[in-house]
mmCIF file of all heavy atoms in Angstrom:
data_model
loop_
_atom_site.group_PDB
_atom_site.id
_atom_site.type_symbol
_atom_site.label_atom_id
_atom_site.label_comp_id
_atom_site.label_asym_id
_atom_site.label_seq_id
_atom_site.Cartn_x
_atom_site.Cartn_y
_atom_site.Cartn_z
ATOM 1 N N LEU R 1469 0.832 -1.186 0.027
ATOM 2 C CA LEU R 1469 0.007 0.036 -0.050
ATOM 3 C C LEU R 1469 0.914 1.338 0.001
ATOM 4 O O LEU R 1469 1.937 1.384 0.808
ATOM 5 C CB LEU R 1469 -0.883 0.020 1.203
ATOM 6 C CG LEU R 1469 -2.044 1.069 1.312
ATOM 7 C CD1 LEU R 1469 -2.991 0.765 0.152
ATOM 8 C CD2 LEU R 1469 -2.735 0.955 2.661
ATOM 9 N N PRO R 1470 0.670 2.134 -0.970
ATOM 10 C CA PRO R 1470 1.438 3.373 -0.955
ATOM 11 C C PRO R 1470 1.161 4.252 0.290
ATOM 12 O O PRO R 1470 0.039 4.185 0.768
ATOM 13 C CB PRO R 1470 1.104 4.018 -2.230
ATOM 14 C CG PRO R 1470 -0.291 3.512 -2.559
ATOM 15 C CD PRO R 1470 -0.301 2.232 -2.041
ATOM 16 N N ASP R 1471 2.202 4.975 0.691
ATOM 17 C CA ASP R 1471 1.970 5.805 1.801
ATOM 18 C C ASP R 1471 1.368 7.228 1.396
ATOM 19 O O ASP R 1471 1.986 8.020 0.755
ATOM 20 C CB ASP R 1471 3.455 6.064 2.444
ATOM 21 C CG ASP R 1471 3.291 6.614 3.981
ATOM 22 O OD1 ASP R 1471 2.140 6.665 4.389
ATOM 23 O OD2 ASP R 1471 4.415 6.908 4.575
ATOM 24 N N THR R 1472 0.150 7.402 1.598
ATOM 25 C CA THR R 1472 -0.612 8.497 1.309
ATOM 26 C C THR R 1472 -1.348 9.167 2.481
ATOM 27 O O THR R 1472 -1.534 8.460 3.595
ATOM 28 C CB THR R 1472 -1.844 8.142 0.298
ATOM 29 O OG1 THR R 1472 -2.745 7.254 0.964
ATOM 30 C CG2 THR R 1472 -1.090 7.565 -0.979
ATOM 31 N N LEU R 1473 -1.681 10.277 2.330
ATOM 32 C CA LEU R 1473 -2.409 11.070 3.469
ATOM 33 C C LEU R 1473 -3.444 12.017 2.848
ATOM 34 O O LEU R 1473 -3.153 12.800 1.913
ATOM 35 C CB LEU R 1473 -1.367 12.010 4.284
ATOM 36 C CG LEU R 1473 -2.002 12.857 5.350
ATOM 37 C CD1 LEU R 1473 -2.610 11.971 6.429
ATOM 38 C CD2 LEU R 1473 -0.837 13.750 5.990
ATOM 39 N N CYS R 1474 -4.676 11.973 3.252
ATOM 40 C CA CYS R 1474 -5.727 12.790 2.788
ATOM 41 C C CYS R 1474 -6.084 13.724 4.062
ATOM 42 O O CYS R 1474 -6.367 13.344 5.098
ATOM 43 C CB CYS R 1474 -6.903 11.962 2.504
ATOM 44 S SG CYS R 1474 -6.732 11.004 1.074
ATOM 45 N N LEU R 1475 -6.126 15.035 3.859
ATOM 46 C CA LEU R 1475 -6.518 15.925 4.791
ATOM 47 C C LEU R 1475 -7.672 16.801 4.294
ATOM 48 O O LEU R 1475 -7.736 17.439 3.212
ATOM 49 C CB LEU R 1475 -5.274 17.011 5.007
ATOM 50 C CG LEU R 1475 -4.066 16.367 5.686
ATOM 51 C CD1 LEU R 1475 -2.901 17.282 5.542
ATOM 52 C CD2 LEU R 1475 -4.364 16.180 7.055
ATOM 53 N N PRO R 1476 -8.837 16.746 4.951
ATOM 54 C CA PRO R 1476 -9.976 17.390 4.632
ATOM 55 C C PRO R 1476 -9.925 18.940 4.780
ATOM 56 O O PRO R 1476 -9.149 19.328 5.917
ATOM 57 C CB PRO R 1476 -11.241 16.822 5.440
ATOM 58 C CG PRO R 1476 -10.364 16.371 6.701
ATOM 59 C CD PRO R 1476 -9.152 15.926 6.213
ATOM 60 N N LEU R 1477 -10.446 19.772 3.845
ATOM 61 C CA LEU R 1477 -10.389 21.168 4.054
ATOM 62 C C LEU R 1477 -11.654 21.543 4.604
ATOM 63 O O LEU R 1477 -12.714 21.583 4.005
ATOM 64 C CB LEU R 1477 -9.995 21.835 2.730
ATOM 65 C CG LEU R 1477 -8.792 21.435 2.084
ATOM 66 C CD1 LEU R 1477 -8.525 22.066 0.658
ATOM 67 C CD2 LEU R 1477 -7.538 21.686 2.931
ATOM 68 N N ILE R 1478 -11.740 22.097 5.883
ATOM 69 C CA ILE R 1478 -12.870 22.376 6.592
ATOM 70 C C ILE R 1478 -12.791 23.729 7.103
ATOM 71 O O ILE R 1478 -11.801 24.134 7.796
ATOM 72 C CB ILE R 1478 -13.181 21.329 7.674
ATOM 73 C CG1 ILE R 1478 -13.306 19.869 7.212
ATOM 74 C CG2 ILE R 1478 -14.420 21.730 8.507
ATOM 75 C CD1 ILE R 1478 -13.455 18.797 8.144
ATOM 76 N N ALA R 1479 -13.841 24.512 7.041
ATOM 77 C CA ALA R 1479 -13.821 25.816 7.691
ATOM 78 C C ALA R 1479 -15.435 26.093 8.165
ATOM 79 O O ALA R 1479 -16.222 25.822 7.259
ATOM 80 C CB ALA R 1479 -13.466 26.990 6.763
ATOM 81 N N GLN R 1480 -15.602 26.609 9.199
ATOM 82 C CA GLN R 1480 -16.887 26.920 9.791
ATOM 83 C C GLN R 1480 -17.805 25.730 9.668
ATOM 84 O O GLN R 1480 -18.949 25.746 9.304
ATOM 85 C CB GLN R 1480 -17.619 28.025 9.015
ATOM 86 C CG GLN R 1480 -16.787 29.384 8.895
ATOM 87 C CD GLN R 1480 -16.548 30.018 10.339
ATOM 88 O OE1 GLN R 1480 -17.476 29.844 11.004
ATOM 89 N NE2 GLN R 1480 -15.495 30.734 10.405
ATOM 90 N N ARG R 1481 -17.158 24.568 10.091
ATOM 91 C CA ARG R 1481 -17.924 23.223 10.095
ATOM 92 C C ARG R 1481 -18.352 22.890 8.675
ATOM 93 O O ARG R 1481 -19.289 22.075 8.606
ATOM 94 C CB ARG R 1481 -18.856 23.236 11.113
ATOM 95 C CG ARG R 1481 -18.433 23.339 12.543
ATOM 96 C CD ARG R 1481 -19.569 23.304 13.585
ATOM 97 N NE ARG R 1481 -20.311 24.708 13.463
ATOM 98 C CZ ARG R 1481 -21.380 24.954 14.225
ATOM 99 N NH1 ARG R 1481 -21.714 24.179 15.182
ATOM 100 N NH2 ARG R 1481 -21.990 26.049 14.044
ATOM 101 N N GLN R 1482 -17.927 23.353 7.596
ATOM 102 C CA GLN R 1482 -18.278 23.120 6.308
ATOM 103 C C GLN R 1482 -17.190 22.457 5.569
ATOM 104 O O GLN R 1482 -16.024 23.103 5.471
ATOM 105 C CB GLN R 1482 -18.738 24.351 5.525
ATOM 106 C CG GLN R 1482 -19.329 24.154 4.377
ATOM 107 C CD GLN R 1482 -19.839 25.407 3.568
ATOM 108 O OE1 GLN R 1482 -19.610 26.425 4.129
ATOM 109 N NE2 GLN R 1482 -20.320 25.361 2.380
ATOM 110 N N THR R 1483 -17.266 21.316 4.874
ATOM 111 C CA THR R 1483 -16.266 20.761 4.071
ATOM 112 C C THR R 1483 -16.277 21.601 2.680
ATOM 113 O O THR R 1483 -17.185 21.636 1.940
ATOM 114 C CB THR R 1483 -16.632 19.188 3.813
ATOM 115 O OG1 THR R 1483 -16.600 18.536 5.134
ATOM 116 C CG2 THR R 1483 -15.473 18.543 2.957
ATOM 117 N N LEU R 1484 -14.968 22.032 2.409
ATOM 118 C CA LEU R 1484 -14.807 22.787 1.136
ATOM 119 C C LEU R 1484 -13.926 22.059 0.173
ATOM 120 O O LEU R 1484 -14.094 22.426 -1.028
ATOM 121 C CB LEU R 1484 -14.142 24.078 1.517
ATOM 122 C CG LEU R 1484 -14.945 24.895 2.425
ATOM 123 C CD1 LEU R 1484 -13.918 26.077 2.933
ATOM 124 C CD2 LEU R 1484 -16.143 25.426 1.884
ATOM 125 N N GLY R 1485 -13.217 21.005 0.613
ATOM 126 C CA GLY R 1485 -12.333 20.308 -0.364
ATOM 127 C C GLY R 1485 -11.389 19.352 0.333
ATOM 128 O O GLY R 1485 -11.705 18.889 1.474
ATOM 129 N N LEU R 1486 -10.224 19.068 -0.282
ATOM 130 C CA LEU R 1486 -9.250 18.101 0.180
ATOM 131 C C LEU R 1486 -7.903 18.359 -0.327
ATOM 132 O O LEU R 1486 -7.818 18.807 -1.494
ATOM 133 C CB LEU R 1486 -9.801 16.657 -0.310
ATOM 134 C CG LEU R 1486 -8.841 15.407 0.118
ATOM 135 C CD1 LEU R 1486 -9.174 15.101 1.566
ATOM 136 C CD2 LEU R 1486 -9.175 14.294 -0.793
ATOM 137 N N ILE R 1487 -6.950 18.063 0.487
ATOM 138 C CA ILE R 1487 -5.567 18.153 0.135
ATOM 139 C C ILE R 1487 -5.048 16.875 0.221
ATOM 140 O O ILE R 1487 -5.161 16.166 1.370
ATOM 141 C CB ILE R 1487 -4.778 19.228 0.807
ATOM 142 C CG1 ILE R 1487 -3.320 19.494 0.190
ATOM 143 C CG2 ILE R 1487 -4.658 19.071 2.283
ATOM 144 C CD1 ILE R 1487 -2.708 20.710 0.456
ATOM 145 N N TYR R 1488 -4.444 16.268 -0.694
ATOM 146 C CA TYR R 1488 -3.881 14.762 -0.909
ATOM 147 C C TYR R 1488 -2.337 14.928 -0.926
ATOM 148 O O TYR R 1488 -1.880 15.763 -1.836
ATOM 149 C CB TYR R 1488 -4.589 14.145 -2.007
ATOM 150 C CG TYR R 1488 -3.790 12.926 -2.409
ATOM 151 C CD1 TYR R 1488 -4.095 11.830 -1.667
ATOM 152 C CD2 TYR R 1488 -3.050 12.824 -3.367
ATOM 153 C CE1 TYR R 1488 -3.512 10.538 -2.128
ATOM 154 C CE2 TYR R 1488 -2.418 11.650 -3.800
ATOM 155 C CZ TYR R 1488 -2.644 10.480 -3.207
ATOM 156 O OH TYR R 1488 -2.170 9.248 -3.523
ATOM 157 N N PHE R 1489 -1.741 13.949 -0.197
ATOM 158 C CA PHE R 1489 -0.282 13.880 -0.395
ATOM 159 C C PHE R 1489 0.056 12.448 -0.523
ATOM 160 O O PHE R 1489 -0.577 11.510 0.002
ATOM 161 C CB PHE R 1489 0.422 14.447 0.899
ATOM 162 C CG PHE R 1489 0.341 15.916 1.127
ATOM 163 C CD1 PHE R 1489 -0.616 16.465 1.835
ATOM 164 C CD2 PHE R 1489 1.360 16.669 0.503
ATOM 165 C CE1 PHE R 1489 -0.669 17.899 2.068
ATOM 166 C CE2 PHE R 1489 1.298 18.079 0.716
ATOM 167 C CZ PHE R 1489 0.202 18.682 1.438
ATOM 168 N N GLU R 1490 1.272 12.118 -1.217
ATOM 169 C CA GLU R 1490 1.771 10.841 -1.204
ATOM 170 C C GLU R 1490 3.256 10.952 -1.258
ATOM 171 O O GLU R 1490 3.939 11.887 -1.817
ATOM 172 C CB GLU R 1490 1.362 10.058 -2.545
ATOM 173 C CG GLU R 1490 1.823 10.746 -3.758
ATOM 174 C CD GLU R 1490 1.151 10.093 -5.026
ATOM 175 O OE1 GLU R 1490 -0.049 9.665 -5.028
ATOM 176 O OE2 GLU R 1490 1.844 9.728 -6.026
ATOM 177 N N SER R 1491 3.920 9.953 -0.470
ATOM 178 C CA SER R 1491 5.318 9.999 -0.388
ATOM 179 C C SER R 1491 5.991 9.472 -1.653
ATOM 180 O O SER R 1491 5.528 8.554 -2.397
ATOM 181 C CB SER R 1491 5.796 9.100 0.727
ATOM 182 O OG SER R 1491 7.167 8.970 0.841
ATOM 183 N N ARG R 1492 7.117 10.328 -2.140
ATOM 184 C CA ARG R 1492 7.756 9.850 -3.342
ATOM 185 C C ARG R 1492 8.816 8.708 -3.091
ATOM 186 O O ARG R 1492 9.267 8.198 -4.103
ATOM 187 C CB ARG R 1492 8.458 10.944 -3.914
ATOM 188 C CG ARG R 1492 7.631 12.317 -4.286
ATOM 189 C CD ARG R 1492 6.534 11.783 -5.266
ATOM 190 N NE ARG R 1492 6.935 11.387 -6.484
ATOM 191 C CZ ARG R 1492 7.384 12.101 -7.602
ATOM 192 N NH1 ARG R 1492 7.260 13.473 -7.566
ATOM 193 N NH2 ARG R 1492 7.847 11.610 -8.662
ATOM 194 N N LYS R 1493 9.122 8.363 -1.881
ATOM 195 C CA LYS R 1493 9.993 7.342 -1.578
ATOM 196 C C LYS R 1493 9.243 5.981 -1.048
ATOM 197 O O LYS R 1493 8.063 6.064 -1.019
ATOM 198 C CB LYS R 1493 11.063 7.736 -0.353
ATOM 199 C CG LYS R 1493 11.808 9.010 -0.899
ATOM 200 C CD LYS R 1493 12.736 9.390 0.252
ATOM 201 C CE LYS R 1493 13.571 10.583 -0.144
ATOM 202 N NZ LYS R 1493 14.532 11.001 0.869
ATOM 203 N N ALA R 1494 10.001 4.969 -0.876
ATOM 204 C CA ALA R 1494 9.522 3.673 -0.346
ATOM 205 C C ALA R 1494 8.827 3.944 0.902
ATOM 206 O O ALA R 1494 9.258 4.854 1.702
ATOM 207 C CB ALA R 1494 10.617 2.654 -0.431
ATOM 208 N N ARG R 1495 7.925 2.969 1.188
ATOM 209 C CA ARG R 1495 7.131 3.182 2.429
ATOM 210 C C ARG R 1495 8.109 3.099 3.572
ATOM 211 O O ARG R 1495 8.935 2.163 3.774
ATOM 212 C CB ARG R 1495 6.128 1.996 2.566
ATOM 213 C CG ARG R 1495 5.239 2.008 3.716
ATOM 214 C CD ARG R 1495 4.181 0.923 3.611
ATOM 215 N NE ARG R 1495 3.454 0.735 4.758
ATOM 216 C CZ ARG R 1495 2.506 -0.086 5.089
ATOM 217 N NH1 ARG R 1495 2.071 -0.810 3.836
ATOM 218 N NH2 ARG R 1495 1.830 -0.281 6.143
ATOM 219 N N GLY R 1496 7.948 3.934 4.596
ATOM 220 C CA GLY R 1496 8.841 3.943 5.733
ATOM 221 C C GLY R 1496 9.959 4.779 5.612
ATOM 222 O O GLY R 1496 10.729 5.024 6.676
ATOM 223 N N GLU R 1497 10.380 5.246 4.461
ATOM 224 C CA GLU R 1497 11.685 6.080 4.242
ATOM 225 C C GLU R 1497 11.505 7.536 4.301
ATOM 226 O O GLU R 1497 12.408 8.255 4.302
ATOM 227 C CB GLU R 1497 12.304 5.696 2.923
ATOM 228 C CG GLU R 1497 12.829 4.197 2.769
ATOM 229 C CD GLU R 1497 13.427 4.017 1.370
ATOM 230 O OE1 GLU R 1497 13.671 4.985 0.562
ATOM 231 O OE2 GLU R 1497 13.852 2.940 1.070
ATOM 232 N N GLN R 1498 10.308 7.954 4.465
ATOM 233 C CA GLN R 1498 9.951 9.293 4.372
ATOM 234 C C GLN R 1498 8.780 9.677 5.396
ATOM 235 O O GLN R 1498 7.705 8.972 5.255
ATOM 236 C CB GLN R 1498 9.559 9.849 3.016
ATOM 237 C CG GLN R 1498 9.713 11.439 3.009
ATOM 238 C CD GLN R 1498 9.424 11.733 1.372
ATOM 239 O OE1 GLN R 1498 8.928 11.114 0.650
ATOM 240 N NE2 GLN R 1498 9.893 12.883 1.100
ATOM 241 N N ARG R 1499 8.940 10.518 6.472
ATOM 242 C CA ARG R 1499 7.891 10.805 7.309
ATOM 243 C C ARG R 1499 7.177 11.953 6.956
ATOM 244 O O ARG R 1499 7.664 13.018 6.521
ATOM 245 C CB ARG R 1499 8.518 10.941 8.824
ATOM 246 C CG ARG R 1499 9.213 9.687 9.237
ATOM 247 C CD ARG R 1499 9.868 10.042 10.527
ATOM 248 N NE ARG R 1499 8.713 10.444 11.635
ATOM 249 C CZ ARG R 1499 8.101 9.682 12.310
ATOM 250 N NH1 ARG R 1499 8.164 8.362 12.179
ATOM 251 N NH2 ARG R 1499 7.159 10.207 13.175
#
């Protein structure tokens, strides 16, 4: 499984979007 992170974009208790990240290195090599 690739190392990914999803962060919801929320303001005033309203969901507006998402910012998504994924590591370019092998799993465990990048924090």
